[in-house]
Amino acid sequence: MTTLACDVAIVGAGPAGLSAAVHAADAGLNVALVDAGTQPGGQYWRHPDESHPVPDEGEGHHGWREFTDLRSRLYAHETTGTLTYLRGTQVWLIEPARPAGVVLRLAPATDPAPAAGTVTARHVILCPGGYDRQLPIPGWDLPGVMAAGGVQALLKGNRTAAGRVAVVAGTGPFLLPVATGLAHAGVKVAAICEANSPTGWLRNAGGAVRAPAKALEGVEYATALARHRIPYKIRTAVTAIHGTDRVESVTLSRVDAHGTAIAGTQRTVACDVVALGWGFTPQLELVLAAGAETTVDVDGSLIAVVDDRLASTAPGVTVAGEATGVGGAPMAVLEGELAALCVSEALGVAAAPGGPASEGRIRALQRDRARLHRFAVAMHRANPVPANWQDWLTPETLVCRCEEVTHGALCDAHTELGAADARTLKSFGRPGMGWCQGRVCGFAVSEIAARFANRPTSADDLRSMAKRSLAAPVTLGQLAALDFDDVHEG
Amino acid sequence: MPELSLTFDGAPLSARPGQTVGAALTDAGVVAWRTTRNAGRPRGLFCGIGVCFDCLIMVDGVANQRACLTPARGGMELRSGRETEAPE
Amino acid sequence: MSLPPTADVVVIGAGATGAACAYFAALAGLRVAVVERGAIAGGTSSACEGNILVSDKEAGPELALAQYSQHLWRTDLAEFGPLWEFESKGGLVVSARPGTQENLAALAERQRAAGIDVELVDGPDLLRLEPLLFPAMAGGAFYPQDAQVQPMLVVAHLLRLARGLGATVHPDTQVTGFVRSGDAVTGVQTTRGIIAAPRVVNAAGTWGGAVAALARVTVPVLPRRGFVMVTEPLPVTVHHKVYAAEYVDNVASSDAGLQTSPVVEGTDSGTILIGSSRERVGFDKTFSPRVLAEMAGKAIALFPFLSDVLALRSYFGFRPYCPDHLPVIGPDPRAPGLWHACGHEGAGIGLAAGTGALIAASLTGAQPALDLSPFVPERFEEPLHA
């Protein structure tokens, strides 16, 4: 049982959280870092189990030296005791402490032992990251169909290839490392299907927006695609997935700029893996549970409202990384540092001897963040979720995988029962009520509700699918064992 | 590196140290180890990072563990099944 | 849909009570318009357990209403039962101590005299009914009539059926005032326009007091917060609605402090619902882990296997209660043309059927099946000559 009081608690040890933790500890703050994973890096820098070292640990990674630098600083701070690193630990509840500060209630991520714990912090930096955004496609529930990030996690964390012949589909630049990673592992990549037009990104990465590193990555991927002879198909979508007990093939369709499949362009491609991703969904449950305001970003994701010092509207709660807007790892690392500096200043330790001369650094980070933000916006505009994706659905297509709710059932909930928003759809049809609590189908259900009502998807739709009273499952035994005297005053 | 020996529904399954249960099953060509509650459809890894809970598996008698997060250990007994198993 | 300029009756509130009022009124031939400030089933009806209980009620007017509702759920509404997952699962009230069992037996005797099916159960028989129950209980009482529904689907389908009978339903339409002719209510003003109607039903649940205030009458409906927890889906492991006998005391209590008593039941979807809590904290929406901790501990005391079961989510709702714990049902003589159907506390889903039928009878001038005098809205007025 952990009972901990600290200056700042950081949730998430991905690029943003790792950076925030290291910089906060550098600044002299007493830090608690809470992460569901067993080692730092998050999804972006996922790597093989460090307790079984491999020679090529950073294979397939970008910014690996930046990661290893942050990691060694993290471990150094852990050794000196400035920082407590709670691995394999999920936050299931965030609540205000009295008279100030924040309380985090903890549960183990995988180990079912009834050990809960509590961290009380003067300030919290939420760095929950995100996961692949999904659109339901007929047959997407067949085994062998995976989130692109899941395929990537198998490769990067386990050195496991998800199959032999893959189709990588959706939209956005993340499809490229997944495809090249698979090819490098010996998987035949039958196609990358990019629903949008590459002029938006690959050919224009160094153009209107200055982002040299990204442009370089683009060239790198283009070379890799050529070397592995991976067909890169633009304005093409996987519009159906076929198989009996596992995926056997997909239907590829050419689509117009709105995602409508063009008649006569369909063809079938055999494969045993389909990797799907339509951008990313930030994990917003802790942001919402903290009572912070949220809004809809340019990519359609629900994100935290933050000021230029990354403070949310909830007292004592700062947010960094994808939850402030999907922007990629470099921006997340930057935001982690910015958050740490601003919080340390707010807590009055920035002037400590040896501390960073932070105000100048903060301004520099804010300028860089603005530049990276412009790049992210351009990328989102180039890779939108196709407006007409719902045309691909059949009445039998599962929308909610957990509760096995079909699109037809949702149509009935609208036409028969009058559901015209995501919350009511959920009430009448149960999408989002199962194991994942809407994490996978939340975006799709919101879009489906909005289309029923013939209006744009609203923040309320997204919020009703993203709000989770328990941010992670917790056993009743853990709940019953909660100790309310262990909360230190923040 | 020595391989770990596990079982899946009684049959031998090997894993590399540091792999997850889900990765070990994938390497063995197993893509599904659970059936859904209503339609009885097969499920395995989907999100691969602990978000979707599609990959639930029984590990050493404990139901509903996420295969994508659970590290493989020598001697582990994995069992496929319906969505959940009755408590004893 | 645009508002109709006129209706025979306007129902304010699209929760279970409003939906039942709309359905039975439409069935009686009235042209009904339902106005709802938010979404259909967006209030307490979507934040409860869907109970249709007789077991938790002392003999008296509320039990009579519950029995009448039972009759309607099982006869007039029986054909729709599958649509809203009506399940006659039966309720099992258990006593941990012999003294509690004596009190429970006395309650059961009074209920039996009022016509309720109830049988006392000893320890070994408890385990036959619920094999996973903590084995050392003193005894219990089994109520075969206790049932459960999916409350949001009750609302949705009753409104669908009402629409089939000519009713119109208007979400996102908030009542801002009443149209009056002298004292008489002759319609409603809403954020989307006016509907003229000679009869208006206040079925606004927890917000019924605020609606009444718009008509310048007092109906003291207050919120009482209740939490529910939902577990991971399991095979059916709890067969009945199982609760501790102390729940019976809490239901009728006016104590402002937190009260929790364990209520455990399985659902069609495989999840187990765990209640219950009662707090008078106004409309406080702060999540309370303290409440969940108490509920979890007490649920585990009933069913030890729950200790290792995951809670996936939790929600709370505001139960509308009146100081005497009886609902307000019937015409308001202080504002002719206004009927009330609110204040059903934690029993609103179950009592909705009876309430709807009684209101429809009253609206059409027919003889209601029950004496409405215990439920009259003016009963809270200070007597003029005290």
Side-chain angles (χ1 to χ4, degrees), chain B residues 37 64 83-88, chain C residues 132 232-235 237 269 305:
Chain B
R37 197 174 64 246
N64 295 333
E83 185 157 278
T84 46
E85 298 292 329
E88 287 145 30
Chain C
L132 295 171
E232 58 186 297
L234 298 166
T237 48
S269 57
F305 83 92

Side-chain angles (χ1 to χ4, degrees), chain A residues 45-136:
Chain A
W45 281 319
R46 183 185 284 274
H47 56 283
D49 187 344
E50 292 169 12
S51 57
H52 302 282
V54 293
D56 50 352
E57 189 189 27
E59 183 186 300
H61 278 284
H62 286 98
W64 186 248
R65 281 180 62 182
E66 181 167 31
F67 169 68
T68 53
D69 168 58
L70 287 169
R71 179 173 65 179
S72 50
R73 287 158 73 189
L74 172 76
Y75 291 161
H77 283 302
E78 193 185 14
T79 307
T80 61
T82 350
L83 180 147
T84 307
Y85 180 15
L86 301 171
R87 301 161 168 84
T89 304
Q90 291 173 308
V91 177
W92 64 267
L93 183 69
I94 179 169
E95 44 178 343
R98 288 186 177 76
V102 178
V103 180
L104 304 177
R105 302 277 179 187
L106 312 176
T110 51
D111 185 353
T118 302
V119 171
T120 308
R122 295 167 68 199
H123 206 102
V124 66
I125 304 175
L126 299 178
C127 309
Y131 51 86
D132 300 273
R133 181 157 62 187
Q134 293 300 335
L135 301 177

Side-chain angles (χ1 to χ4, degrees), chain C residues 306-375:
Chain C
L306 288 174
S307 184
D308 296 328
V309 170
L310 290 166
L312 292 191
R313 65 191 175 97
S314 171
Y315 54 88
F316 55 83
F318 296 101
R319 324 278 175 242
Y321 80 98
C322 293
D324 59 2
H325 299 285
L326 289 177
V328 175
I329 303 169
D332 193 326
R334 300 165 297 180
L338 179 63
W339 275 253
H340 299 284
C342 53
H344 293 74
E345 199 153 358
I349 305 301
L351 301 181
T355 302
L358 293 172
I359 287 286
S362 178
L363 289 170
T364 53
Q367 179 66 38
L370 282 186
D371 172 21
L372 292 183
S373 61
F375 308 117

Side-chain angles (χ1 to χ4, degrees), chain A residues 337-383:
Chain A
E337 181 181 356
L338 178 59
L341 294 184
C342 292
V343 167
S344 60
E345 214 177 63
L347 294 178
V349 300
S358 61
E359 206 42 59
R361 178 69 181 155
I362 286 172
R363 277 194 295 276
L365 289 169
Q366 286 170 331
R367 278 193 301 275
D368 284 353
R369 177 171 180 256
R371 181 176 58 80
L372 289 172
H373 178 72
R374 285 194 295 276
F375 177 76
V377 168
M379 208 173 67
H380 292 320
R381 294 226 161 99
N383 297 287

Side-chain angles (χ1 to χ4, degrees), chain A residues 247-288:
Chain A
V247 57
E248 291 160 15
S249 65
V250 295
T251 298
L252 305 190
S253 301
R254 291 273 294 163
V255 295
D256 69 14
H258 306 291
T260 300
I262 298 165
T265 63
Q266 282 68 26
R267 64 188 193 89
T268 305
V269 174
C271 59
D272 64 354
V273 181
V274 183
L276 299 171
W278 299 92
F280 295 91
T281 293
Q283 299 244 41
L284 261 279
E285 47 269 90
L286 288 174
V287 171
L288 287 163

